[in-house]
Amino acid sequence: NSLLKEIDFYLVTDSGLSKKGTLSDVKESVEAGCKIIQYREKDKSTKEMIDEASEIKRICGDRAIFLVNDRIDVALAVDADGVHIGQDDMPIETARKLLGADKIIGLTVHNVDEAVEAEKKGADYVGLGSIFDTSTKKDAGKGIGPARIREVKNAIKVPVVAIGGINKENCRSVVENGADSLVAISAVVCSDDVKKETREFIDIIKEIKNSSSP
Amino acid sequence: NSLLKEIDFYLVTDSGLSKKGTLSDVKESVEAGCKIIQYREKDKSTKEMIDEASEIKRICGDRAIFLVNDRIDVALAVDADGVHIGQDDMPIETARKLLGADKIIGLTVHNVDEAVEAEKKGADYVGLGSIFDTSTKKDAGKGIGPARIREVKNAIKVPVVAIGGINKENCRSVVENGADSLVAISAVVCSDDVKKETREFIDIIKEIKNSSSP
Ligand code: NI
């Protein structure tokens, strides 16, 4: 999927935090130019997840990559573009076998060693985190700091997506340290205007990428 | 899978109710002669479920059919014999497409119409319930009564598995009304001796089946 080379702001859905609901968040974010959506849902039935995922796939169309968090069954059922898996999910080798060579698989990593291992095992990108201290959900706890992004970036060729405690204030340091893309869940889905927030993140990321490229 | 024609007592795991844990329950039940195991787990990570499912598959070997409740991804990851799906799970048409023609798919139904529909859509057996009043989990509420089993049995050719509120006292009426197999979760997994309980259920079911067959 060639869109993977163009990703900047990366939306992860969160129905628990969302103000207007997952489908609205996806729609507004894609309209604002977001090129990658990860559907993360832990509390709904498989049937509800498949229904919602198939709506998200329709919204994304060929404008944005559509990944499903953890649930390879849901990804297969709606023919998503791929999955994002963490350390508590299906092993990447098994996921690759079930999804085939063409699907995108992103893997959560916490350091250089895990990133190198992920690339070796066929990850199409890595989600690196937590960058900053965070108190929410997965990868909670102490942040590794933005300087670590550069180390990881230097060690692998696949895109590095930064995640964890990122907001509009600290996101500059993340991109300046080499992140190809970043996730900022609460900064976006807790907002009244997901479209505007997404747009602003994209603008900041693009500005820094353009000024730092040769 | 030819074992499907021989099923009598049907074990559904329940880590919440289990006294000795899911793996112990499966092992004891299979040793007692149970020929079909359904792994139902709602609260563990995908990785934990895959690890546990692969242990259960090993225990079942060719002695018992091994099905996974709801999670087609887990079933595919460990190459289980099939899945059991309910009304809140993946649509059976999608599940069949992902699993292929040879895997077993069981579907939960509540009446004759749903049973006929399930068979038409390719279900290899139906789980009919709740037979008796029950207060636990899915299919909770008022029971349809054992007499309904005969109606369903007369309407379809695939095996009918009775579920819901069944214990050693009321299980005779279930089998006498035509159930090919039955589930009795709490009666078995809450026991100190899963092997003995399973053995007793199998003995009762076999006795009634033998006395009622021509
Ligand atoms: Ni039901």
Side-chain angles (χ1 to χ4, degrees):
Chain A
N1 199 310
S2 63
L3 266 181
L4 198 56
K5 297 194 183 82
E6 299 174 37
I7 58 173
D8 30 53
F9 179 76
Y10 181 131
L11 184 78
V12 176
T13 68
D14 192 315
S15 58
L17 290 176
S18 174
K19 216 158 187 174
K20 295 185 177 172
T22 289
L23 291 182
S24 167
D25 292 345
V26 169
K27 193 163 174 289
E28 290 193 32
S29 198
V30 170
E31 279 173 3
C34 176
K35 296 192 195 70
I36 185 161
I37 305 286
Q38 178 192 135
Y39 176 53
R40 180 156 90 174
E41 179 56 58
K42 299 289 178 191
D43 297 320
K44 290 183 178 150
S45 73
T46 299
K47 185 183 164 61
E48 287 173 309
M49 288 182 67
I50 289 174
D51 289 346
E52 198 160 58
S54 100
E55 276 301 298
I56 296 175
K57 182 186 154 90
R58 196 183 54 74
I59 295 167
C60 289
D62 48 18
R63 294 183 292 177
I65 295 165
F66 169 43
L67 308 179
V68 177
N69 180 287
D70 178 17
R71 294 292 297 267
I72 275 79
D73 53 345
V74 175
L76 288 169
V78 306
D79 190 29
D81 297 312
V83 296
H84 183 89
I85 51 186
Q87 306 286 335
D88 291 335
D89 301 337
M90 189 182 286
I92 183 168
E93 300 92 332
T94 313
R96 178 60 76 196
K97 215 164 66 182
L98 297 180
L99 290 166
D102 292 342
K103 294 293 184 186
I104 293 170
I105 300 181
L107 206 62
T108 298
V109 301
H110 306 90
N111 53 50
V112 172
D113 287 351
E114 287 182 8
V116 170
E117 184 76 7
E119 182 178 53
K120 207 163 67 182
K121 287 183 173 168
D124 296 292
Y125 75 86
V126 298
L128 175 66
S130 185
I131 306 300
F132 300 104
D133 295 355
T134 165
S135 55
T136 57
K137 295 196 163 181
K138 285 177 101 177
D139 300 312
K142 203 139 179 58
I144 58 174
R148 287 292 175 84
I149 301 170
R150 181 62 63 191
E151 293 177 34
V152 169
K153 189 66 193 157
N154 288 339
I156 60 174
K157 288 191 176 68
V158 296
V160 175
V161 178
I163 185 167
I166 301 173
N167 55 40
K168 246 181 292 173
E169 285 65 51
N170 63 25
C171 79
R172 293 184 168 274
S173 65
V174 167
V175 185
E176 284 164 357
N177 277 284
D180 298 284
S181 177
L182 62 85
V183 176
I185 301 179
S186 53
V188 171
V189 304
C190 298
S191 155
D192 278 317
D193 194 339
V194 168
K195 195 166 174 174
K196 178 171 156 284
E197 292 301 315
T198 300
R199 191 67 251 167
E200 289 181 9
F201 270 106
I202 293 177
D203 287 345
I204 297 172
I205 298 168
K206 280 191 168 154
E207 181 210 314
I208 301 171
K209 280 192 180 181
N210 287 335
S211 69
S212 63
S213 60
Chain B
N1 197 312
S2 62
L3 266 183
L4 197 56
K5 297 193 183 83
E6 299 174 38
I7 58 175
D8 33 52
F9 180 75
Y10 181 131
L11 184 78
V12 177
T13 68
D14 193 317
S15 59
L17 290 176
S18 174
K19 216 156 185 174
K20 296 186 175 170
T22 289
L23 290 181
S24 167
D25 293 345
V26 169
K27 193 162 173 291
E28 291 193 30
S29 199
V30 170
E31 279 172 3
C34 176
K35 296 191 194 69
I36 185 161
I37 304 285
Q38 179 191 134
Y39 176 54
R40 180 155 92 175
E41 180 55 60
K42 298 292 180 191
D43 297 320
K44 291 182 176 151
S45 73
T46 299
K47 185 183 166 62
E48 287 171 310
M49 288 182 67
I50 289 174
D51 289 346
E52 200 161 53
S54 101
E55 276 301 298
I56 297 175
K57 182 187 154 94
R58 196 185 53 73
I59 296 167
C60 289
D62 47 19
R63 295 183 291 176
I65 295 166
F66 169 43
L67 308 179
V68 177
N69 181 288
D70 177 18
R71 295 291 298 267
I72 276 80
D73 52 346
V74 175
L76 288 168
V78 306
D79 191 29
D81 297 312
V83 296
H84 183 90
I85 51 185
Q87 306 288 334
D88 291 335
D89 299 337
M90 189 183 287
I92 182 170
E93 302 91 331
T94 313
R96 179 61 74 195
K97 217 166 65 182
L98 296 180
L99 290 165
D102 292 340
K103 294 293 184 184
I104 293 170
I105 302 182
L107 206 61
T108 297
V109 301
H110 306 89
N111 52 52
V112 172
D113 287 353
E114 286 182 10
V116 170
E117 184 76 7
E119 182 178 54
K120 208 164 68 183
K121 286 183 174 168
D124 296 293
Y125 75 86
V126 298
L128 176 66
S130 183
I131 306 302
F132 300 104
D133 295 355
T134 166
S135 56
T136 56
K137 295 195 162 178
K138 284 177 106 180
D139 299 314
K142 204 142 179 54
I144 58 174
R148 287 293 176 82
I149 300 169
R150 181 61 64 190
E151 294 176 32
V152 169
K153 190 65 194 158
N154 288 339
I156 60 174
K157 288 191 179 68
V158 296
V160 175
V161 179
I163 185 167
I166 301 173
N167 54 43
K168 246 181 290 173
E169 284 66 52
N170 63 23
C171 79
R172 292 186 169 272
S173 66
V174 166
V175 186
E176 283 164 357
N177 277 284
D180 298 286
S181 175
L182 62 84
V183 176
I185 301 179
S186 53
V188 171
V189 304
C190 297
S191 154
D192 278 318
D193 194 338
V194 169
K195 196 166 172 174
K196 178 170 156 284
E197 293 299 316
T198 299
R199 191 66 251 168
E200 289 181 10
F201 270 107
I202 291 177
D203 287 344
I204 298 172
I205 298 168
K206 281 192 167 152
E207 181 210 315
I208 301 171
K209 281 192 182 182
N210 287 336
S211 69
S212 63
S213 61

